[in-house]
Amino acid sequence: MRFLLLFSRQGKLRLQKWFTPIPEREKKKIIREMTTMVLARQPRSCNFLHWKDLKIIYKRYASLYFCLAIENHENELLALEVIHRYVELLDKYFGNVCELDIIFNFEKAYFILDEFLLGGEIQETSKQIVNRCIESSDMLQETMEEYMSKPAF
Amino acid sequence: MSPSVPLQEMIRAIRSARTQCEERGVIQRECAAIRAQFRQADNGGRSHNLAKLLYVHMLGYPAHFGQMECVRMIASPRYSEKRVGYLGAMMLLDEKQDASLLITNSIKNDLSHSNQYVQSLALCTLACMGSAEMCRDLAPEIDRLLRASNSYIKKKAALCAVHIVRKVHDLGELFAPAARSLLAEKNHGVLHGAVVLITELCERNPETLERFRKTVPDLVQIMKGLVISGYSPEHDVAGISDPFLQVRILRLLRILGRNNEAASDAMNDLLAQVATNTDSTKTVGNAVLYETVLTVLDIKSESGLRVLAVNILGRFLLNNDRNIRYIAMTSLQRIVGTDHNAVQRHRGTIVDCLKDQDASVKRRALELSLALVSATNIRSMMKELLLFLSSCPLELRAQAASGIFNAAERYAPSQRWHIDTILHVLTTAGGDVRDETVPNLIQLITNTSELHCYTVHKLYRALLSDISQQSLVQVACWCIGEYGDLLLRGECQETEPVQVTEDDVLDALETVLQSHMSAPATRGFALTATMKLSTRITDNVDRIRSIVSIYGSCIDVELQQRAVEYNALFKKYDHMRAAVLERMPVIEKNSPGHTNGESTREAVKEVQPAKVKQAETLLPQQPASQVCDLLDLLGGSEEPLQPNPAVGSTLPVLPVSTSSTAGGDLLDLLGGLEPTPLTPAPTVTVYEKGGVTLTLSSEKQSDSGLTVTLTACNSTDSDISSFTLQAAVPKSVQLHMKAPSGDSLPARGAAKVTQMVALSNPNKVNLKMRIRISYTSQGSAFQDTVQVDSFPEH
């Protein structure tokens, strides 16, 4: 996988994860192109697009578009499943996740993503294990804070 | 986990800004505050500040001043600060930033931290943005973690190793042994990481690939376990047990089985099992089936399995889900070359997909349909393709048109069908066809002599209805010019003839000439066609004359030039007009050096390359269009210089030798002119007058050197004496005349005089030579000049 973008229906970016090093200006250009391309698609069209030498898989969940770019030799249908799995993880964590959750707790969305994907590949295929790890990390943070008697993050 | 209050307050403040300007103001204030706090000593709010900065960064504002803060936070002992620090590092630092080197040490320390979550942060960051140096530094650490740690760390270390191998290819060797042992793990996460690592190693290094072939049985075993095993709540997705792992194993099997009989045999059973047992009602099942199909088609599988795979693809084609149809066609495209017959069976479905609403599906269907066209199904396929062309989206038109042309050319069942098809395409999508369509079509039409009447009728009708499609109009004009007499005759076997008068035809051509929609090239065609009709019609020649003379003052230089020349043809050389404007001969498919112009229907004589002999009987020079760059050593000749035929863009009015481009560039030839032989026989006659014949042959000595041999012969009844030859060449060419063999030519060709001329053409200019012949015969002196423009074997 090359990158994962989340953006709203108005084209505002909510999350960006890049799996290859790209200069800042290039990133902005790609984001613009992706949002234009994906937002222009008809409602019931195919979820796969071709862009340069990559395949773009996108899926809309409520008001958010999830856009994943994969290499040419990767499996598109599985990429759809990857997106779906990530949404399920977010849903489990936030409880009925909506766009506002991701806006106000973006750093947590990143932490969850980092437990699911790593270096452009799937890291953990079990939902329960990912959730357990996130909870443990959160617990660690809180206990460490209490231990250090500083206000919780 | 409780949310960060300061962060959320800031986000709320930014969101409540009503305009872009207001938002910028809020952000500037916040950033100033953050910057100030960064400079202060350690306080409790460091992670909040960095989190705020990261939010601002996501909105698109600059945040580079946070880079050093990230480095500091990563080094902090507090987990909360480390967490945000590493997140910031992944977002703000990449390998191109200098600050990224500073965190190498922190990462190294954290990799050996007692707490696994700290270790995982370090591993995650390394796998996300580790540069080549960092990877080299930390590779041994990763290898250690691959071997001896808990499964949580092992799976992350495996993917970290993948990243390292991608950055520094040589380090692959380091991880190979550890990767092998990881396959024995039970934990799915570790297993998945191991499979990815092995895939990466095998793709990069063929030797490693050989070594890992031994793991095929193990992989088959693992897959079997996944497919057959009962319900496992931890990994189940819609009835499929761990589809992510299944797909990765299938991909690895594909790489290992490629080009290897033994490995492919070992997986045959498993692949058959997966293909038949996987539930295909949901996307996830189809994802596994898709990967299976790709694997089967890529390895050396037995034919039964291949058929099964193609059938699965066929089933996909009928699926309601558009995504599935799309990937089915993508896969079929890949195998249409090798398993053509299998794919042909699904032709009907594929052609139906041409009518799908979705643009991506249409594109795939078009490519696949074009690949499936064959001699047997050409008629039905072409019907579908033409239907598609009339309704297809704009971006696919050019591709569809050229695909149709190729298919028609290869499999046309009859000439008439071929012409009809091309005409159909031109009427529907004339604007999107490539440029060489016009000459190709013209050539096709000339070759089908029995259909000339039919073709010209069809084209005339098409012209009357629509003159906006340039290619179509050009071809139509050309045909009407060539075969106008057939049109006027009013009878045709193949189609309903039109009853037209000469005025009607001229009206049509004039409309094209005057229309603002016509491109300059099209108008050129129309003008030439009008001119050609002057020999084919009887009554309205005056009308043609007037049209031609009007365009003599046209602003377009090309048209003006043509009109002026045609005018000249009318006025001074009316006796030539019929010959010049005669029907074109059958044009051969061009190839460089090929002898053109089989004058099967020509009445005009075969023209010599130098055309000089006839040049004297034809038009004298047109001084305005002379481009004569010969060094005039022989100055003072009273005879008019022969017209310089093939220079510049002058439309040759004479039959000319196109010495360099005799590929028969149709658009350049004035109608009725015969394309002339390009490479004449090695010996050519350059001069023949008064019984004296001069022939020329040349031989290439080197890259820029040429030896020309001139041979003179006398066929009269009286002897010739004092025969001398003088030659002149363009400025950059060097000339050296050797001594002639003699200076007398006995009568009746009893003996010849030869003269060798050595030429050197370092600048490779267009080689020309002017030769002056002088001799005495029967007591009187003769002198003549001849120009040679093309040299054989030059």
Side-chain angles (χ1 to χ4, degrees), chain B residues 9 24-25 78 115 127 164 255 288 295 324 330 388 401 437 459 464 501 511 528 603 636 672 689 788:
Chain B
E9 276 177 8
R24 256 189 301 233
R78 282 207 209 109
N115 188 308
I164 292 178
I255 295 171
V288 176
T295 303
I324 313 268
T330 318
F388 173 72
T437 318
L459 283 169
L464 285 183
T501 64
T511 323
T528 309
K689 191 178 167 191
V788 182

Side-chain angles (χ1 to χ4, degrees), chain A residues 1 6 12-24 27-28 31 41-50 55 57-59 71-86 88 93 99-130 132-142 144-145 148 150-153, chain B residues 1-5 7-8 11-12 15 20 23 44 47-48 51-52 54-55 57-61 77-81 83-84 87 90-92 94-96 115 117-118 120 123-125 127-128 152 155-157 159-160 162-163 166-167 187-190 192-193 196 200 203 233-237 242-245 247-248 251 254 283-284 286-288 290-291 316 322-324 326-327 330 334 358-361 364:
Chain A
M1 288 173 246
L6 261 73
K12 281 198 112 80
L13 191 69
R14 298 296 175 212
L15 193 138
Q16 53 175 329
K17 187 78 186 176
W18 303 87
F19 297 113
T20 46
I22 297 179
E24 196 66 41
K27 280 186 195 167
K28 290 212 168 78
I31 293 170
R41 294 283 279 179
Q42 301 289 352
R44 262 136 54 101
S45 39
C46 191
N47 291 97
F48 310 136
L49 288 169
H50 261 283
K55 297 196 261 206
I57 320 295
Y58 75 92
K59 190 117 194 259
E71 309 274 354
N72 249 325
H73 53 78
E74 293 184 55
N75 187 326
E76 296 101 312
L77 294 178
L78 201 72
L80 274 177
E81 286 302 310
V82 167
I83 295 178
H84 189 72
R85 172 59 68 90
Y86 183 48
E88 282 179 329
Y93 183 82
E99 190 183 344
L100 281 179
D101 288 321
I102 301 185
I103 295 172
F104 280 94
N105 299 286
F106 73 95
E107 77 277 13
K108 312 228 183 57
Y110 274 105
F111 295 150
I112 295 173
L113 186 63
D114 286 335
E115 284 295 329
F116 175 44
L117 303 175
L118 190 62
E121 304 287 343
I122 300 169
Q123 189 191 142
E124 180 55 65
T125 55
S126 155
K127 270 188 280 189
Q128 287 92 328
I129 294 184
V130 175
R132 256 181 269 150
C133 290
I134 296 286
E135 279 167 24
S136 307
S137 314
D138 287 349
M139 195 71 71
L140 179 64
Q141 194 164 326
E142 302 230 349
M144 291 282 257
E145 292 301 332
M148 307 278 225
K150 289 286 194 268
F153 173 30
Chain B
M1 193 169 83
S2 36
S4 153
V5 174
L7 170 64
Q8 302 213 327
I11 296 178
R12 225 167 269 133
R15 279 170 65 82
Q20 186 77 14
E23 179 182 293
S47 44
H48 304 268
K52 284 192 208 172
L54 294 178
Y55 183 80
H57 170 75
M58 186 147 64
L59 289 178
Y61 294 90
R78 282 207 209 109
Y79 178 67
S80 58
E81 291 181 357
R83 222 180 178 192
V84 182
L87 179 64
M90 284 191 272
M91 283 177 77
L92 299 178
D94 59 29
E95 56 183 38
K96 301 204 175 54
N115 188 308
Y117 296 110
V118 176
S120 96
L123 284 166
C124 185
T125 311
C128 178
Y152 179 68
K155 75 181 183 211
K156 292 185 195 255
L159 291 177
C160 223
V162 172
H163 176 86
R166 283 183 186 154
K167 280 278 180 223
N187 180 298
H188 280 221
V190 180
H192 188 275
V196 176
E200 192 66 34
E203 275 176 344
E234 209 178 329
H235 301 289
D236 182 272
V237 181
D242 207 340
F244 304 106
L245 183 58
V247 166
R248 279 326 293 241
R251 185 131 75 96
R254 180 152 88 235
T283 309
V284 62
N286 288 323
V288 176
Y290 179 40
E291 198 71 28
F316 278 179
R322 224 173 236 134
N323 295 332
I324 313 268
Y326 179 86
I327 57 150
T330 318
R334 268 190 252 176
D358 185 88
S360 317
V361 172
R364 285 274 172 260

Side-chain angles (χ1 to χ4, degrees), chain B residues 58 277 370 422 492:
Chain B
M58 186 147 64
N277 283 358
L370 288 173
I422 299 189
C492 182

